[in-house]
Amino acid sequence: MTALVTLGETMAVLAADRPGRLASGTSLRLGFAGAEATVAIGVSRLGHAASWTGRVGADSAGTMILDGLRSEAVDVTRARVDDTAPTGLMLRERRTPDHTRVTYYRRGLAGSRLDPEDIDPELVARARVLHVTGITPALGAGPRAAVRRAVDLARAAGVTVSLDLNYRARLWNREEAGAELTHLVTGADIVFAGPEEASLVVPEADDPAAMARDLLDLGPREAVLKLGARGAVAVTHGGEAVQDIVPVTPVDPIGAGDAFVAGYLAGLLDGTDLPGRLLLAATCGAFAVASPGDWEGLPRRAELDLLHGADVTR
């Protein structure tokens, strides 16, 4: 059984090594990134089988992505190599030490051609958790239909559905996103969001726990509000838990939210209680911001006690 199944777009990344304007001769680091891929890698590093479905181009970037995921023990047998469109690209510029500027080249490319037929019903039905994000349905009609099909298959099979709203304003407006994300929230068991993202589907409130409870009213059994430097709060029908950030020296904030989700879902797969899931999530987020890159700093199980004692190493 695959513990976690996810789907979405993964792109090649060219990231500047040091602050400053991009210019001829700027040193760039080649890698890959995608919200769902980061979650799959994070869950895999913590000892649970993970699978990623998506499309890459028949090019060196696509090969790099699939090889990289395989090297992290993520199953990519359901990934598709699309020979009619190249792999998407993300150009990441560190304009100042604390400000990153990102340019995407993704429209009409391989990742945005995900289709409902790419979803393997048997793989979804055998999973313990299906994880989707609000990024994939924003890529177009095909990816949107693919996410809906995966969620419908998971619900029919009794598989836990995890949804990270992950709103991207460059991909769609708040009205369009709100309508689609509200539909997905009603079919999810666990919802992750920042307060601003949550306000797409529930009334805005000063109290994050109140917004989480409003999300529960739409159907999920767990709602987790990611609050950045203020930590996180999780609410279920049986209670709630609050988690502060795990202090580290930050190096790169990119990927912290996806690392948090990976830790939370790994804790769920471990059978950990709500406070334990939040603690593991915060720990993974801390590891992510303490290293450059989207997923490279994600911890393995044996490393968790570098930031904590044995209470998060189960």
Side-chain angles (χ1 to χ4, degrees):
M1 176 185 291
T2 300
L4 178 103
V5 170
T6 190
L7 61 144
E9 179 185 41
T10 301
M11 294 178 287
V13 178
L14 286 172
D17 284 339
R18 61 186 64 184
R21 187 183 299 276
L22 288 183
S24 178
T26 297
S27 177
L28 298 172
R29 176 175 51 86
L30 177 64
F32 64 90
E36 301 86 358
T38 295
V39 172
I41 291 170
V43 168
S44 176
R45 285 193 178 184
L46 291 174
H48 297 286
S51 175
W52 175 81
T53 296
R55 293 196 189 192
V56 298
D59 47 35
S60 296
T63 299
M64 173 195 64
I65 289 168
L66 296 182
D67 286 348
L69 289 169
R70 288 189 193 101
S71 74
E72 293 292 336
V74 174
D75 174 29
V76 292
T77 56
R78 276 71 172 186
R80 178 173 172 182
V81 176
D82 190 329
D83 59 7
T84 65
T87 304
L89 174 66
M90 181 190 309
L91 188 62
R92 187 173 291 153
E93 174 187 18
R94 292 184 64 192
R95 190 62 189 90
T96 68
D98 55 359
H99 182 77
T100 299
R101 188 160 56 190
V102 180
T103 304
Y104 296 96
Y105 303 90
R106 70 200 319 174
R107 190 178 301 277
L109 302 187
S112 66
R113 297 189 175 197
L114 186 69
D115 183 87
E117 295 304 312
D118 295 330
I119 307 305
D120 182 342
E122 185 178 352
L123 177 70
V124 173
R126 294 200 321 266
R128 292 176 61 191
V129 176
L130 170 74
H131 177 67
V132 298
T133 78
I135 298 173
T136 305
L139 298 175
R144 189 173 306 182
V147 169
R148 286 197 174 203
R149 183 172 191 237
V151 170
D152 288 344
L153 289 168
R155 287 180 59 83
V159 173
T160 295
V161 177
S162 164
L163 167 67
D164 188 348
L165 297 193
N166 239 333
Y167 173 63
R168 295 291 187 268
R170 293 186 186 183
L171 294 177
W172 52 357
N173 60 45
R174 289 183 63 86
E175 182 179 3
E176 184 182 10
E180 182 63 20
L181 293 176
T182 298
H183 172 79
L184 291 176
V185 167
T186 62
D189 298 292
I190 306 170
V191 175
F192 300 91
E196 185 176 354
E197 293 170 329
S199 71
L200 291 165
V201 298
V202 296
E204 191 169 2
D206 293 332
D207 179 10
M211 296 188 78
R213 287 190 289 270
D214 286 341
L215 287 170
L216 291 189
D217 290 340
L218 296 177
R221 63 171 189 256
E222 301 181 27
V224 185
L225 268 287
K226 297 179 285 186
L227 307 176
R230 294 183 292 144
V233 59
V235 175
T236 71
H237 292 294
E240 64 183 68
V242 177
Q243 175 65 51
D244 292 331
I245 63 168
V246 173
V248 291
T249 301
V251 173
D252 184 355
I254 303 296
D258 299 319
F260 178 96
V261 172
Y264 191 95
L265 294 178
L268 179 76
L269 292 166
D270 292 341
T272 307
D273 61 13
L274 185 62
R277 296 198 290 275
L278 274 182
L279 179 57
L280 184 53
T283 302
C284 289
F287 269 100
V289 303
S291 303
D294 290 65
W295 54 267
E296 288 83 348
L298 291 170
R300 299 186 188 280
R301 184 74 64 174
E303 297 177 304
L304 293 174
D305 61 359
L306 293 174
L307 302 182
H308 283 297
D311 56 347
V312 294
T313 60
R314 290 190 299 164

